[in-house]
Amino acid sequence: MVPNGGYVSLTQNRGSGAAPLLSLAHVGESLRGIYARVLRGELINNMNEDYIRTARAKGLSERRILYRHALRCSLISIVSLFGLDVGVLVAVPRC
């Protein structure tokens, strides 16, 4: 359970300081599959783009193409999705 407000140091109340971190970790673990599916879909879409074909024509390795070009562009959607999830976690009260 997440405390509903106010700051309490870890020396005063050891249990309440870790509660928000543990609840965020639990929710993040349940969303891991969604993030993986979104990232996979974005990578598949990006691997057919013109700049990927150009990088292959230049002779870059597949690993470098994947990390430097495709993954960098695919992470935009992951960061956006993460921002929406954090907003939901902050705004929705848990009872």
Side-chain angles (χ1 to χ4, degrees):
M1 182 175 198
V2 178
N4 58 359
Y7 174 77
V8 178
S9 70
L10 288 176
T11 58
Q12 292 177 350
N13 190 356
R14 293 183 188 266
S16 68
L21 295 177
L22 293 175
S23 64
L24 285 175
H26 177 67
V27 171
E29 186 175 321
S30 65
L31 296 174
R32 184 173 37 194
I34 295 171
Y35 288 130
R37 214 178 334 166
V38 169
L39 181 62
R40 181 183 180 272
E42 288 293 321
L43 279 172
I44 289 172
N45 287 338
N46 283 335
M47 291 305 277
N48 296 323
E49 294 291 332
D50 289 337
Y51 60 90
I52 299 293
R53 275 185 249 137
T54 304
R56 283 191 180 122
K58 285 180 172 181
L60 295 177
S61 67
E62 283 296 317
R63 174 179 275 180
R64 185 168 180 127
I65 291 170
L66 179 68
Y67 287 119
R68 180 62 71 95
H69 297 288
L71 189 62
R72 182 181 278 179
C73 291
S74 298
L75 284 178
I76 294 171
S77 61
I78 295 296
V79 170
S80 300
L81 185 62
F82 181 73
L84 290 171
D85 290 338
V86 168
V88 168
L89 286 174
V90 171
V92 175
R94 304 256 186 227
C95 296

